[in-house]
């Protein structure tokens, strides 16, 4: 992919996340940002009260998204998908959740390029964590490197 194609796909994802957030809200889900987000599935289930999901308010500065709230929207959708599927935070369960989100993206008619960007952002970072037991420091650089094929 070229940088311009990635940027266009990111914009498309941002629009999708906004709509998905509205859809989840209309189904009774909401979120609040916190500096103390759960780090386990058990914690996520316990801390989600009345379908209000606690979302980390940190780690959104160096993402591919133009504003931190788009990353919050993605995290919100991701965590609701965890809860709906009853899947934990193991790499296998993360992959299942991400694949379900990919199915929803395709079903909504999101472009292949946007789906590729989503995969690089979600799956590739999850795989990085599995392999290194650490989060990616600069998510934007990591995703662009994956998609541009620069190693």
């Amino acid at each position: 992919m070229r940088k311009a194609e990635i940027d266009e796909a990111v914009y498309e994802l941002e629009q999708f996340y906004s709509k998905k957030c509205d859809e989840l809200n209309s189904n009774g889900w909401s979120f609040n940002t916190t500096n103390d987000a759960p780090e386990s599935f058990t914690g996520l289930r316990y801390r989600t009260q009345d379908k209000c999901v606690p979302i980390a308010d940190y780690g959104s500065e160096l993402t591919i998204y133009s504003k931190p709230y788009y990353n919050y929207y993605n995290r919100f959708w991701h965590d609701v998908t965890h809860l709906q599927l009853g899947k934990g935070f193991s790499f296998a369960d993360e992959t299942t959740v991400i694949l379900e989100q990919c199915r929803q993206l395709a079903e909504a008619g999101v472009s292949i390029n946007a789906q590729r960007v989503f995969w690089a952002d979600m799956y590739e970072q999850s795989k990085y964590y599995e392999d290194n037991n650490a989060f990616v420091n600069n998510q934007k650089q990591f995703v662009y490197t994956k998609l541009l094929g620069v190693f």
Side-chain angles (χ1 to χ4, degrees):
M1 292 180 75
R2 296 178 320 218
K3 185 180 181 313
E5 292 173 315
I6 296 169
D7 293 342
E8 185 177 300
V10 167
Y11 178 78
E12 183 180 356
L13 286 172
E14 290 174 344
Q15 301 315 298
F16 174 84
Y17 297 155
S18 293
K19 290 177 186 170
K20 182 55 86 169
C21 188
D22 289 344
E23 177 186 315
L24 291 169
N25 289 155
S26 70
N27 288 314
W29 292 95
S30 62
F31 74 92
N32 67 296
T33 57
T34 177
N35 64 3
D36 184 31
E39 295 187 14
S40 70
F41 182 65
T42 300
L44 178 63
R45 279 190 315 204
Y46 177 76
R47 300 255 319 269
T48 299
Q49 300 293 316
D50 298 320
K51 296 174 90 173
C52 183
V53 182
I55 302 296
D57 64 0
Y58 47 88
S60 291
E61 302 78 27
L62 296 173
T63 70
I64 58 174
Y65 305 111
S66 63
K67 302 284 185 203
Y69 60 83
Y70 289 119
N71 199 47
Y72 301 158
Y73 294 170
N74 182 27
R75 288 178 177 178
F76 173 46
W77 173 41
H78 183 76
D79 284 355
V80 168
T81 306
H82 268 288
L83 292 163
Q84 290 174 327
L85 296 177
K87 295 294 180 184
F89 291 0
S90 70
F91 180 65
D93 283 356
E94 285 290 349
T95 301
T96 298
V97 169
I98 293 164
L99 286 170
E100 170 56 22
Q101 290 182 281
C102 288
R103 185 196 66 73
Q104 291 179 38
L105 287 167
E107 186 177 85
V110 171
S111 72
I112 293 297
N113 280 348
Q115 292 177 52
R116 287 181 183 141
V117 170
F118 178 82
W119 184 258
D121 186 40
M122 299 299 289
Y123 175 81
E124 294 293 348
Q125 287 194 66
S126 184
K127 178 75 171 122
Y128 180 91
Y129 185 86
E130 175 70 9
D131 293 344
N132 299 284
N133 199 32
F135 292 107
V136 172
N137 287 328
N138 185 326
Q139 296 172 42
K140 184 173 187 171
Q141 181 180 33
F142 178 84
V143 171
Y144 273 77
T145 299
K146 289 287 182 185
L147 293 167
L148 293 170
V150 180
F151 296 98

